[in-house]
Amino acid sequence: MRRVLTDVVLPLVVAVALAFVVQAAVAKPYEIPTGSMEPTIQPHDRVVANRVIYRFRDIARGDIIVFHPTRSASRECAAPPGEPFVKRVIGLPGDRVEVRGGVTYVNGAPYVAGGERTPHYEEAWPPVPDGELLVLGDNRDNSCDSHQW
């Protein structure tokens, strides 16, 4: 019995505990539920979110982030409670972002992330407030993102 405990049970318990610690502090896997990031990320793709990187550097324009939306965003998008969103950072604090003629502009200059689909809406946002981000899905027309909330 002691041999089973030390050879099987103890390593299994350590492995499970380590997996929980890694998921909580280092990297968390997600399955993408929608096509909001197509063609960059397809529905049902699996991604691993790095939970450490932003301790060493700031969020940059073009980063793809996983976040929990505000309650109002969840309601507007009919997202299940607790369902994380996966979007691309377009606007950083102080940036002015607008979409016109199918082109996304940041501070007056065209912004192309590479792979995003042409939006068929026109929108101009006020400057992004301090402590906030403006995020858009790469599938601009079919993404519940900052252009809706």
Side-chain angles (χ1 to χ4, degrees):
M1 182 68 167
R2 177 176 274 210
R3 186 173 184 114
V4 170
L5 186 64
T6 59
D7 289 350
V8 177
V9 176
L10 185 60
L12 190 60
V13 168
V14 169
V16 168
L18 187 59
F20 279 117
V21 168
V22 166
Q23 190 178 83
V26 178
K28 181 161 173 85
Y30 293 96
E31 181 177 346
I32 305 303
T34 69
S36 71
M37 285 298 293
E38 287 180 315
T40 307
I41 303 172
Q42 302 298 313
H44 308 294
D45 277 358
R46 293 184 183 274
V47 298
V48 176
N50 182 337
R51 298 183 122 182
V52 178
I53 191 73
Y54 296 121
R55 292 183 184 157
F56 300 104
R57 72 168 181 90
D58 292 334
I59 293 175
R61 183 175 299 107
D63 285 355
I64 296 174
I65 61 171
V66 178
F67 63 97
H68 290 280
T70 62
R71 282 193 179 154
S72 63
S74 289
R75 278 195 302 270
E76 290 214 16
C77 298
E83 182 78 24
F85 281 15
V86 179
K87 306 293 177 205
R88 185 179 301 277
V89 175
I90 304 298
L92 300 169
D95 284 348
R96 289 186 170 273
V97 179
E98 64 181 302
V99 175
R100 64 184 144 83
V103 178
T104 302
Y105 294 88
V106 178
N107 299 323
Y111 176 75
V112 178
E116 73 269 12
R117 292 187 175 159
T118 303
H120 295 96
Y121 57 83
E122 304 274 322
E123 186 82 44
W125 291 273
V128 178
D130 285 341
E132 294 189 20
L133 302 168
L134 188 137
V135 296
L136 299 174
D138 284 357
N139 188 357
R140 299 282 201 267
D141 288 335
N142 298 306
S143 177
C144 186
D145 53 31
S146 292
H147 90 273
Q148 292 184 326
W149 34 267

